[in-house]
Amino acid sequence: MMGDRRSVTFVAAALLFSIIPVRADDGALISRWYSALLVADRTELSDLLADDVRIKLEDLGIVQSKQEFIASIDEWQGAVAGAEIRHRIEKSEGGVTTVIACYDFPNNDMLMQETFAVTDNRITASSQAAIAENCDGY
């Protein structure tokens, strides 16, 4: 009886430790995402996105493919000049990570909730929605 309990505890601990590295990898990938986004690095952004990714911009009612997103980076590059992006992971479960991000532009800032689905070190889906017109709640 006692041996059974130990083996269950060991299996639970082993499962927990097998989950932790995935979260760390996803966190590192998401940090790379925001770093690349800040400098409009098309090559890095393209490397981080799966070929069949869908990026949903909730506030605009738009869903972009990888090609459409990368094509929009020209416009983004002008908007992000002189900006800062801060982010923190709110939760990560089932391969989906929810992030709160403050986009601090030179003339305004915006607080966003963004989600990232990650498979095989690639973002397979992302959504973003504004949650405040300033970063006071960050």
Side-chain angles (χ1 to χ4, degrees):
M1 187 74 121
M2 188 62 114
D4 288 342
R5 222 177 285 154
R6 270 194 226 128
S7 62
V8 167
T9 302
F10 173 77
V11 169
L15 284 172
L16 179 62
F17 287 119
S18 72
I19 292 168
I20 291 170
V22 172
R23 288 185 184 161
D25 289 348
D26 289 356
L29 182 129
I30 289 166
S31 290
R32 285 176 52 205
W33 170 261
Y34 285 109
S35 295
L37 199 57
L38 184 61
V39 296
D41 183 337
R42 291 162 193 76
T43 302
E44 177 78 350
L45 291 167
S46 186
D47 287 347
L48 292 169
L49 295 171
D51 288 339
D52 60 350
V53 68
R54 290 290 171 250
I55 299 171
K56 189 173 189 177
L57 309 174
E58 300 276 353
D59 301 328
L60 301 175
I62 294 173
V63 177
Q64 293 179 315
S65 67
K66 180 176 182 172
Q67 294 75 19
E68 290 167 331
F69 177 79
I70 296 301
S72 73
I73 294 299
D74 287 342
E75 189 176 326
W76 171 254
Q77 189 168 10
V80 78
E84 225 183 291
I85 303 173
R86 296 174 281 154
H87 76 278
R88 70 170 184 260
I89 293 175
E90 288 289 293
K91 67 179 178 179
S92 187
E93 60 189 25
V96 177
T97 301
T98 303
V99 174
I100 300 298
C102 169
Y103 289 80
D104 192 357
F105 298 104
N107 297 320
N108 68 315
D109 54 345
M110 182 160 288
L111 196 61
M112 306 292 289
Q113 178 175 316
E114 304 183 357
T115 62
F116 298 89
V118 177
T119 304
D120 297 329
N121 273 335
R122 294 281 184 278
I123 296 167
T124 57
S126 177
S127 69
Q128 72 171 216
I131 53 177
E133 294 198 14
N134 61 53
C135 290
D136 294 349
Y138 183 80

